[in-house]
Amino acid sequence: MLATKTDVGDKKMTSDTAVQKVKFYQTGTHTVGNRLMDESGRTVQASPNRSNAITSGHRACQGCGEALGARYALDAAMRAAVGKIVAVNATGCLEVFTTPYPETSWQIPWLHSLFGNAPAVAAGVAAGLRVRGLDDTKVVAQGGGGGTADIGFSCLSGMFERNDDVLYICYDNEAYMNTGVQRSSATPPAARTATTPAVGDAPGNIFGTGKKVPEIAMAHNIPYVATASVADLHDLEDKVTRAMEMSGARYIHIMVPCPLGWGSEPKDTILIARLAVESGLFPLFEAEHGLIVATSKIRRRVPVEEYLRLQRRFAHLFKKGDEDKKRIAAIQRMAHANIEKYGLAV
């Protein structure tokens, strides 16, 4: 029988009661303890009635950042649209592991397009809904880094230029993971892929290539552009919600580590995503009509080595040679440039 009653840190002794009052301080966590709180204080992750865009049964790899990012992004979109949503999905990992014929894990109206035309298909869906008077049904298009920055780039630019009423979400795992981990224009410098092997005098992907799609989206002067990370799901959900409240073309670029392609441990997915942000390699910001309106300051800056060491795709940079050190230093300069450009220093 308990003889101690705890009330917000103050111990009150009683001899004839077995009551223990507990205050849960970590109300922002995703733990089951939140379910014991008053409903008004719970986070949405703790609610049994939360929206559920992707249910169980998909075939994503253990630790898949894309599965996590898509679940939270589409759940937030569902809530914002009160369930009135249509998703268009480019070919890629997300399409393959959620819809192995004849099954699907999606709990929303969902269309699979070709690898490169998801933005155009989504624009057509939005136009069809508008003609039918269904203006309250929202359209979300989805693609990976390759399907967005390479194969689907022209369709995406066209969607931006026309200002089609579509939210496009890129889940960036920085290569063509579904087809064998080939290099894309989202692949960072020095990264080993199947087509940029770690051999020769300059192993891995060469420096000075690729596209910064969020900045290209901003150059189109569209209503909303944002970057997000699976290391901060609340920030990710907030940005999706904000985008869903707007009209016109909107773009969100989410970093989603891939244990298979990056050669990382599944348990380190969130840590790696966090280190990418804290090192400055992946800045978090929001932009409206081409202008930055908000950034996430870096409270604890870390050297890029902490991020790179957890991934075997960068293992060749740590052979202790002078050239390896120069390449790491070049990546560090890129991180510093991001911090300066976006004003990320506290």
Side-chain angles (χ1 to χ4, degrees), residues 88 117-130 139 141 155 158-159 162 164-166:
V88 176
N117 70 346
V121 172
V125 172
L129 291 170
R130 184 174 63 253
V139 182
C155 285
M159 190 198 94
R162 295 187 302 269
D164 293 315
D165 192 16
V166 175

Side-chain angles (χ1 to χ4, degrees), residues 81 84-88 118-131 133-142 155-169 222-224 240-251 289:
K84 296 181 179 180
I85 185 173
V86 177
V88 176
V121 172
V125 172
L129 291 170
R130 184 174 63 253
V131 168
L134 301 175
D135 296 332
D136 57 344
T137 300
K138 304 300 182 181
V139 182
V140 177
Q142 306 178 100
C155 285
L156 183 65
S157 178
M159 190 198 94
F160 290 160
E161 185 175 346
R162 295 187 302 269
N163 197 30
D164 293 315
D165 192 16
V166 175
L167 167 60
Y168 189 99
I169 302 176
I222 60 177
Y224 186 75
V240 171
T241 301
R242 181 172 176 78
M244 291 294 291
E245 293 171 348
M246 298 180 174
S247 298
R250 292 141 287 153
Y251 180 78
H289 300 287

